[in-house]
Amino acid sequence: MAHEIEMQICLGSSCFSRGNKDVVMFVREYLKKNHLEDKVIFKGARCMGLCNNGPNLKIGDVITEGVNLSRIEGILEKELAKLK
Ligand code: FES
């Protein structure tokens, strides 16, 4: 099946120090649990230039700032709903 959405998490040092690693782990689990691994390309990205509000996540062309463990599930539910 073709991938339908590309998702990139910033792996720059500022986003790293703000906890992007936890978000990465959550997203991987979420994609697996919801059988979305074939529909979403999930990869790391370089600094997006928005370090002050990281961790930052880009879904398609849209960057969401301040992505943390308390927000990530809601963001994924909303953005990936059409793939389920
Ligand atoms: S380190 Fe993530 S936007 Fe700069």
Side-chain angles (χ1 to χ4, degrees), residues 19-37:
N20 66 357
K21 202 169 153 209
D22 294 338
V23 176
V24 168
M25 279 161 46
F26 185 94
V27 171
R28 285 206 182 122
E29 275 305 306
Y30 181 93
L31 295 179
K32 200 189 271 183
K33 205 168 68 188
N34 290 283
H35 310 291
L36 290 172
E37 289 167 304

Side-chain angles (χ1 to χ4, degrees), residues 10-16 46-52 54-56:
C10 177
L11 296 180
S13 55
S14 178
C15 288
F16 181 79
R46 290 191 180 167
C47 175
M48 297 176 179
L50 299 163
C51 312
N52 287 343
N56 298 315

Side-chain angles (χ1 to χ4, degrees), residues 30 34 36 39 76-77 80-84:
Y30 181 93
N34 290 283
L36 290 172
K39 299 180 181 174
L76 295 177
E77 287 291 324
L80 304 182
K82 58 180 174 249
L83 296 180
K84 288 192 193 174

Side-chain angles (χ1 to χ4, degrees), residues 28-71:
R28 285 206 182 122
E29 275 305 306
Y30 181 93
L31 295 179
K32 200 189 271 183
K33 205 168 68 188
N34 290 283
H35 310 291
L36 290 172
E37 289 167 304
D38 287 345
K39 299 180 181 174
V40 179
I41 301 172
F42 181 49
K43 58 188 189 183
R46 290 191 180 167
C47 175
M48 297 176 179
L50 299 163
C51 312
N52 287 343
N53 298 321
N56 298 315
L57 179 70
K58 189 173 179 189
I59 301 177
D61 293 331
V62 180
I63 295 177
T64 303
E65 299 176 48
V67 178
N68 54 32
L69 274 186
S70 59
R71 291 185 67 208

